[in-house]
């Protein structure tokens, strides 16, 4: 069975979703079954990463057809690392899902919710695992379509509008990516990524390939909410069911970053990518603008989910700055932050799911006094927030450290300074939450608000603990990121 | 001659699109969108892509127009006046269009034998060896059902996802219809739509048989599960429109339709699973039977059946849940008010 691990990684959740239909009458059973499927994908991804680290890239030929006739899966360090992040976050979030979803959704919608969740998970895993450009698009459709529906399920009616905006922007993004892939096929006659990477240099000078590249990059940037294409994100994250936000904030933009890395570094190649379009300047500029404008906007928000959603846009900015450096170290910094940001945001949004469970709102003025009434949940938000700021001993520090190292290596002192300044902005919006929770008189009468149930609290603290653990023991995140980055740059690790 | 046909079809397309942008009457827009689908399908026929044309005709001109009409019936026929002028959107559209035109400058000529897609070994392999390897004459079916079967699996899951999304958002808690209501509605509809009803009754069996033909003939000619599923669903929808949703609900059990949507995906997936139990990789049909060619045949028939089941079921689900929206809205108006 180990031979089939690459495909099992994707089809376990993919097959589990329609199977849930048979259990539809019992939402709790559907949840348990989904959790089981997700845990199995986590196990598979751990085995895959271990296999890749010991014996190198794994190739799986679907349908028994030799690529490029058929579709192949190609698991290297980069996507094994991503697969692990996605399936781990999905599983931990799903543990808390039952309690939160039971409160936020009507009972007849709950089973469909878990099916969509599994489909979304399978879609993201499929995008990451495949080595075929068109297959990317197919799985992108699966993950996006389920994402639109999941977001629209939010209790707040504004969720519908937010989901609609995301649907329009997401569809434009996906269509751009499809146009890009179509043009690449037209100029090379192949869809296999490896094959594309070999054939594109011959036609690199043509205007058609230039347009293909431009469309692909813009399409992916829409999906990853790069400033100024981020406008769909804050409302989508704020009004979606809390569990959905925790899952997507930690995974969806990461998958898009992965695609950007795959297309610019592996398929088009670094020299083409950075000379055809002024990508370096563009990424640096948009990344930094994203960090500052999104962080400033976060400061003025009154809905805590909005605060962290804008913060996500800012964090994407850091990752893009890492890419703009164009060195192995810069790419390492991006990959490390990808892992670390997934840990921070899933912990923070899951803690907000706990607040939503008890209070039914995440408005800042409803947080007054929660520091005493929900001490463990608030402590989790504070620790997670410190990690977001980048305080030493948390994962956030590791990310910032490598990012600053990378830009300094390039001699960009002013950029390093701006990155540190960006962290200060994060302190301000974090402080607003701390102030509300700990230093304001409580709005809820004493005794009416209890600490969150353990079913949510335990997953939150598992993630918070991970934020601290990987802040100290960086073997997994840093070493895998380093060797993945080096292999993309063609340097033997 | 071909060039003239292309030019005429493409100019019609442009005219239709401009008309769609101009019109405020959404009913007209839906009709024009149907015409757009039909023109696109004809254009595909002119390009010798009959399989794609077939899909476009059944989806673009057929079922999507129907679904748009249902939505208009539920929401309203006229576009609301737009106060702001979306200049930025126009700029974005112009830049995108300009870039696309710029991209055509270095493209290989249409149908050129020197195009990279023609010279590539993959294409040559599909054309020269697919009959030997898979044993069916329709190369398009070979590619989508065997060489790239996993993409097709993904597409079926996309359709399934759409169905689940609609169910999650639009379906309400189960409710019982009263037979008296159905009879009353039937009575009025019978008077109004007598001719349509009789014609539909004559047509529906043929539509269903044609769908089955398309389903099982995909190996030899244009067709396959996607088109067949849509045509089959169209017959069901036609019936529901003329005989009322509630009558149709008595014929077509909604719980079963939901299960069938899942079963189609599972059938496709289990063909893949059986492949690896027999020692191949996922969706390797060669190992399904002793003889690889027989295995390919069996695999393709089964997965096409899976596609057909899911597509029919999901289209039915989408229609019923959109069209069925009105009833719960009315009820809340009378009883709860929210």
């Amino acid at each position: 069975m180990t031979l089939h691990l690459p495909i099992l990684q994707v089809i376990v959740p993919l097959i589990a979703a329609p199977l849930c239909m048979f259990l539809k009458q019992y939402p709790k059973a559907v949840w348990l079954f989904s959790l089981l499927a997700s845990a199995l994908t986590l196990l598979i991804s751990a085995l895959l990463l271990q296999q890749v680290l010991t014996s190198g890239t794994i190739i799986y030929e679907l349908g028994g057809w030799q690529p490029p006739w058929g579709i192949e899966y190609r698991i290297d360090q980069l996507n094994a690392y991503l697969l692990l992040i996605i399936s781990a976050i999905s599983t931990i979030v799903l543990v808390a899902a039952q309690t939160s979803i039971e409160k936020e959704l009507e009972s007849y919608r709950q089973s469909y919710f878990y099916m969509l969740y599994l489909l979304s998970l399978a879609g993201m895993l499929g995008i990451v695992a495949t080595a075929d450009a068109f297959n990317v698009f197919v799985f992108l459709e699966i993950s996006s379509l389920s994402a639109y529906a999941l977001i629209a399920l939010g209790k707040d009616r504004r969720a519908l509008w937010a989901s609609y905006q995301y649907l329009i922007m997401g569809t434009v993004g996906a269509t751009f990516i499809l146009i890009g892939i179509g043009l690449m096929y037209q100029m090379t006659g192949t869809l296999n990524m490896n094959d594309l990477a070999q054939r594109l240099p011959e036609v690199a000078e043509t205007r058609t390939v230039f347009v293909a590249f431009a469309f692909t990059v813009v399409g992916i940037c829409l999906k990853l909410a790069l400033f100024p294409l981020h406008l769909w994100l804050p409302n989508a994250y704020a009004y979606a069911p809390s569990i959905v936000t925790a899952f997507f904030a930690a995974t969806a933009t990461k998958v898009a970053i992965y695609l950007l890395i795959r297309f610019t570094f592996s398929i088009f190649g670094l020299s083409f990518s950075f000379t055809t379009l002024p990508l370096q300047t563009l990424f640096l500029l948009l990344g930094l603008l994203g960090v500052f404008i999104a962080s400033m906007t976060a400061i003025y928000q009154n809905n805590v989910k909005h605060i962290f959603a804008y913060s996500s846009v800012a964090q994407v900015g850091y990752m893009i700055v890492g890419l703009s450096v164009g060195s192995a170290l810069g790419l390492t910094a991006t990959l490390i932050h990808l892992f670390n940001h997934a840990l921070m945001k899933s912990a923070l949004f899951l803690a907000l799911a706990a607040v939503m469970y008890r209070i039914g709102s995440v408005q800042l003025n409803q947080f007054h006094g929660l520091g005493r009434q929900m001490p463990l949940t608030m402590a989790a938000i504070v620790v997670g927030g410190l990690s977001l700021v980048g305080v030493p001993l948390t994962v956030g520090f590791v990310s910032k450290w490598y990012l600053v190292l990378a830009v300094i290596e390039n001699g960009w002192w002013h950029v390093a300074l701006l990155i540190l300044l960006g962290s200060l902005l994060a302190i301000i919006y974090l402080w607003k939450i701390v102030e509300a929770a700990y230093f304001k008189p409580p709005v809820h009468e004493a005794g009416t608000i209890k600490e969150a149930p353990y079913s949510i609290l335990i997953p939150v603290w598992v993630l918070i603990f991970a934020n601290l653990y990987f802040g100290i023991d960086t073997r997994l995140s840093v070493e895998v990121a380093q060797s993945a980055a080096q292999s993309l740059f063609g340097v033997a690790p | 001659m071909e060039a003239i046909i292309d030019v005429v079809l493409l100019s019609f397309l442009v005219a239709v699109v401009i008309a769609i942008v101009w019109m405020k009457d959404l009913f007209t827009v839906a009709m024009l969108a149907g015409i757009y689908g039909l023109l696109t399908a004809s254009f595909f026929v002119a390009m010798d892509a009959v399989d794609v044309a077939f899909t476009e005709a059944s989806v673009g001109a057929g079922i999507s127009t129907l679904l748009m009409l249902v939505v208009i019936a539920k929401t309203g026929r006229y576009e609301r006046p737009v106060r702001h002028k979306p200049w930025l959107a126009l700029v974005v559209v112009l830049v995108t269009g300009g870039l696309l035109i710029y991209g055509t400058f270095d493209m290989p000529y249409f149908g050129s034998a020197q195009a990279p897609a023609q010279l590539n070994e993959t294409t040559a392999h599909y054309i020269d060896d697919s009959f030997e390897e898979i044993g069916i004459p329709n190369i398009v079916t070979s590619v989508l059902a065997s060489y790239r079967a996993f993409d097709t699996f993904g597409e079926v899951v996309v359709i399934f996802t759409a169905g689940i999304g609609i169910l999650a958002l639009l379906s309400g808690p189960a409710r019982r219809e009263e037979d008296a209501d159905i009879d009353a509605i039937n009575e009025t509809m019978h008077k109004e739509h007598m001719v349509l009803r009789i014609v539909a009754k004559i047509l529906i069996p043929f539509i269903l048989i044609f769908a089955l033909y398309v389903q099982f003939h995909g190996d030899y000619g244009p067709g396959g599960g996607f088109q067949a599923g849509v045509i089959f669903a169209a017959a069901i929808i036609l019936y529901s429109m003329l005989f009322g949703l509630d009558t149709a609900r008595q014929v077509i059990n909604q719980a079963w339709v939901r299960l069938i949507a899942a079963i189609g995906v599972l059938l496709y997936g289990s063909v893949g699973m059986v492949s690896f139990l027999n020692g191949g990789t996922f969706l390797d049909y060669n190992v399904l039977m002793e003889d690889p060619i027989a295995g390919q045949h069996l695999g393709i028939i089964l997965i096409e059946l899976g596609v057909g089941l899911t597509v029919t079921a999901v289209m039915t689900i989408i229609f019923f849940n959109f069209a069925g929206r009105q009833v719960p809205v009315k009820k809340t108006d009378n009883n709860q008010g929210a």
Side-chain angles (χ1 to χ4, degrees):
Chain A
M1 233 32 188
T2 48
L3 183 71
H4 297 296
L5 283 180
I7 189 68
L8 283 173
Q9 175 80 87
V10 178
I11 58 167
V12 166
L14 204 62
I15 302 268
L19 278 175
C20 290
M21 196 64 110
F22 292 87
L23 298 169
K24 198 179 107 345
Q25 302 304 327
Y26 316 99
K28 209 158 186 171
V30 174
W31 166 68
L32 262 178
F33 184 71
S34 314
L35 183 59
L36 194 74
S38 181
L40 197 58
T41 51
L42 173 59
L43 176 72
I44 295 170
S45 67
L47 291 173
L48 270 177
L49 182 63
Q50 190 204 14
Q51 210 176 328
V52 169
L53 289 178
T54 50
S55 52
T57 306
I58 309 168
I59 291 171
Y60 188 85
E61 294 169 359
L62 281 150
W65 300 113
Q66 182 193 335
W69 305 329
I71 295 167
E72 70 172 331
Y73 267 17
R74 192 176 266 269
I75 312 292
D76 58 13
Q77 286 166 343
L78 177 61
N79 49 14
Y81 177 70
L82 259 291
L83 292 172
L84 182 71
I85 297 175
I86 297 166
S87 52
I89 298 288
S90 153
T91 310
I92 298 173
V93 170
L94 209 44
V95 172
Q98 207 272 333
T99 316
S100 171
I101 285 304
E102 202 167 38
K103 187 121 181 183
E104 289 188 23
L105 289 187
E106 296 93 334
S107 61
Y108 63 91
R109 293 190 207 272
Q110 289 170 12
S111 297
Y112 295 129
F113 170 86
Y114 295 113
M115 285 186 230
L116 289 169
Y117 187 101
L118 283 176
L119 288 167
S120 185
L121 170 66
M124 289 195 254
L125 293 171
I127 295 171
V128 173
T130 189
D132 187 277
F134 186 73
N135 203 233
V136 166
F137 175 74
V138 173
F139 280 83
L140 188 69
E141 286 289 281
I142 298 176
S143 75
S144 322
L145 215 51
S146 44
Y148 306 143
L150 282 172
I151 288 167
L153 280 175
K155 225 173 164 183
D156 195 316
R157 282 191 70 79
R158 281 172 288 186
L160 291 173
W161 178 239
S163 165
Y164 180 72
Q165 275 185 320
Y166 181 29
L167 182 133
I168 297 294
M169 296 306 264
T171 309
V172 171
T175 311
F176 275 29
I177 295 173
L178 184 65
I179 290 174
I181 294 170
L183 292 175
M184 279 180 233
Y185 175 78
Q186 190 173 36
M187 297 310 287
T188 57
T190 186
L191 290 167
N192 182 286
M193 289 183 180
N194 241 9
D195 210 17
L196 273 172
Q198 278 165 21
R199 288 167 194 270
L200 276 173
E202 290 167 31
V203 283
E205 299 296 310
T206 57
R207 282 170 278 199
T208 311
V209 169
F210 166 77
V211 173
F213 182 66
F215 269 86
T216 315
V217 169
V218 174
I220 296 173
C221 286
L222 259 167
K223 282 274 171 195
L224 67 78
L226 175 64
F227 179 87
L229 305 173
H230 68 282
L231 294 171
W232 57 268
L233 185 139
N235 283 338
Y237 281 12
Y239 301 126
S242 310
I243 288 297
V244 173
T245 313
F247 180 41
F248 284 165
T251 52
T253 46
K254 312 295 171 294
V255 171
I257 297 256
Y258 162 81
L259 272 186
L260 188 62
I261 295 173
R262 203 40 112 195
F263 274 97
T264 49
F265 287 79
S266 310
I267 297 180
F268 282 98
L270 187 64
S271 56
F272 175 87
S273 300
F274 275 32
T275 49
T276 317
L277 283 178
L279 267 198
Q280 186 158 33
T281 332
L282 221 61
F283 278 175
L284 183 64
L285 198 71
L286 293 180
L288 286 176
L289 272 175
V291 168
F292 279 92
I293 295 177
S295 302
M296 300 275 223
T297 320
I299 293 172
Y300 292 101
Q301 299 303 311
N302 286 318
N303 177 325
V304 181
K305 279 190 182 174
H306 263 138
I307 296 182
F308 287 132
Y310 276 105
S311 146
S312 276
V313 178
Q315 303 297 319
V316 164
Y318 289 119
M319 293 178 218
I320 295 295
V321 169
L323 286 186
S324 79
V325 177
S327 68
L329 193 57
L331 188 57
T332 311
T334 300
L335 291 176
I336 294 172
H337 195 42
L338 221 117
F339 180 91
N340 293 343
H341 182 242
L343 291 179
M344 299 169 199
K345 276 292 152 61
S346 52
L348 285 170
F349 278 115
L350 214 51
L352 290 183
V355 174
M356 198 75 180
Y357 183 80
R358 283 295 183 218
I359 320 254
S361 158
V362 285
Q363 289 296 324
L364 207 52
N365 55 23
Q366 297 291 310
F367 270 61
H368 293 181
L370 283 191
R372 275 196 205 89
Q373 286 162 326
M374 300 178 74
L376 288 172
T377 311
M378 285 305 133
I381 292 185
V382 172
V383 180
L386 289 176
S387 183
L388 199 61
V389 173
V391 171
L393 296 183
T394 63
V395 287
F397 177 72
V398 182
S399 302
K400 294 272 161 64
W401 174 256
Y402 277 91
L403 188 59
V404 168
L405 276 187
V407 294
I408 289 180
E409 187 195 51
N410 238 23
W412 296 350
W413 286 96
H414 47 289
V415 178
L417 210 68
L418 287 174
I419 290 170
L420 296 179
L421 217 62
S423 306
L424 291 181
L425 291 175
I427 296 180
I428 301 178
Y429 58 72
L430 178 65
W431 176 251
K432 277 185 68 176
I433 302 169
V434 172
E435 192 190 17
Y438 291 94
F439 299 103
K440 289 274 173 72
V443 279
H444 306 282
E445 273 178 50
T448 53
I449 303 293
K450 280 188 291 193
E451 181 53 82
Y454 285 114
S455 49
I456 303 183
L457 215 49
I458 291 171
V460 169
W461 275 93
V462 166
L463 287 165
I464 291 292
F465 180 73
N467 267 291
L468 300 171
Y469 179 81
F470 290 110
I472 300 160
D473 177 3
T474 58
R475 270 177 307 181
L476 177 69
S477 55
V478 174
E479 279 177 23
V480 177
Q482 257 168 352
S483 60
Q486 276 160 354
S487 70
L488 280 179
F489 274 85
V491 188
Chain B
M1 190 58 201
E2 225 183 292
I4 300 171
I5 294 175
D6 286 346
V7 169
V8 170
L9 284 176
L10 287 176
S11 15
F12 273 150
L13 270 184
V14 173
V16 168
V17 171
I18 291 173
I20 288 179
V21 175
W22 222 255
M23 290 291 170
K24 298 283 176 225
D25 181 355
L26 296 178
F27 179 76
T28 321
V29 170
M31 284 306 160
L32 285 172
I35 295 174
Y36 181 87
L38 198 62
L39 284 171
T40 319
S42 324
F43 185 55
F44 288 152
V45 173
M47 292 203 294
D48 282 336
V50 272
D51 284 85
V52 193
F54 200 172
T55 320
E56 178 61 38
S58 47
V59 176
I63 205 146
S64 63
T65 317
L66 257 180
L67 292 177
M68 271 191 258
L69 288 179
V70 173
V71 173
I72 290 170
K74 296 290 153 198
T75 51
R77 192 173 156 172
Y78 293 95
E79 197 180 316
R80 273 196 216 148
V82 186
R83 288 201 188 81
H84 69 288
K85 294 232 183 313
W87 291 112
L88 183 67
L90 184 68
V91 172
V92 172
V93 169
L94 286 179
V95 170
T96 311
L99 205 57
L100 280 173
I101 291 172
Y102 177 76
T104 60
F105 291 155
D106 283 333
M107 271 185 193
Y109 287 113
F110 174 67
S112 156
Q114 299 307 310
Q118 302 290 343
L119 297 174
N120 193 292
E121 308 85 270
T122 315
T123 317
H125 180 87
Y126 289 157
I127 293 171
D128 298 337
D129 304 331
S130 75
F131 189 72
E132 215 168 278
E133 287 177 343
I134 294 169
I136 59 173
N138 187 352
I139 300 176
V140 178
T141 303
S142 297
V143 174
L144 73 83
S146 185
Y147 290 114
R148 299 188 67 88
F150 191 61
D151 271 347
T152 311
F153 184 43
E155 294 294 353
V156 178
V157 177
V158 170
I159 291 169
F160 178 71
T161 310
I164 300 295
I166 295 287
L167 281 172
L169 293 173
L170 296 185
S171 75
R175 58 196 166 75
R176 285 187 58 83
E177 290 97 22
E178 284 124 36
D179 291 338
D181 282 359
I182 300 179
D183 288 342
I185 295 168
N186 254 336
E187 198 65 20
T188 54
M189 280 183 78
H190 197 66
K191 283 183 191 132
E192 279 175 35
H193 303 301
M194 174 109 62
V195 175
L196 283 177
R197 278 188 163 193
I198 292 169
V199 173
K201 271 198 172 166
I202 298 170
L203 270 180
I204 286 172
F206 290 105
I207 299 178
L208 293 178
I209 290 174
F210 181 61
L212 291 176
Y213 165 78
V214 173
Q215 170 78 47
F216 293 105
H217 202 258
D219 299 6
Y220 302 98
F226 282 101
Q227 295 95 325
V230 172
I231 296 170
F232 209 92
I236 295 175
I237 293 173
L238 184 62
Y239 181 80
S240 325
M241 284 171 83
L242 289 171
F243 293 87
L245 275 185
D246 293 326
T247 322
R249 272 207 192 93
Q250 289 181 329
V251 183
I252 299 146
N253 182 325
Q254 293 299 298
W256 275 101
V257 173
R258 287 193 286 260
L259 279 186
I260 289 172
I263 288 169
V265 176
L266 290 172
L267 178 63
Y268 204 137
S270 36
V271 171
M273 306 280 237
V274 171
S275 300
F276 54 65
L277 293 181
N278 285 2
T281 58
F282 191 68
L283 293 171
D284 183 349
Y285 310 141
N286 281 342
V287 296
L288 289 179
M289 294 185 90
E290 295 265 311
D291 174 22
I293 298 288
Q296 289 287 343
H297 272 290
L298 180 68
I300 290 175
I301 285 185
L302 287 176
I303 64 123
E304 289 277 15
L305 188 62
V307 174
L309 289 176
T310 298
V311 172
T312 311
V314 169
M315 293 303 147
T316 316
I317 287 172
I318 293 178
F319 175 78
F320 272 86
N321 282 288
F322 266 109
R325 280 298 278 172
Q326 209 167 27
V327 184
V329 172
K330 262 187 189 166
K331 270 190 181 163
T332 47
D333 278 349
N334 296 341
N335 304 339
Q336 291 122 27

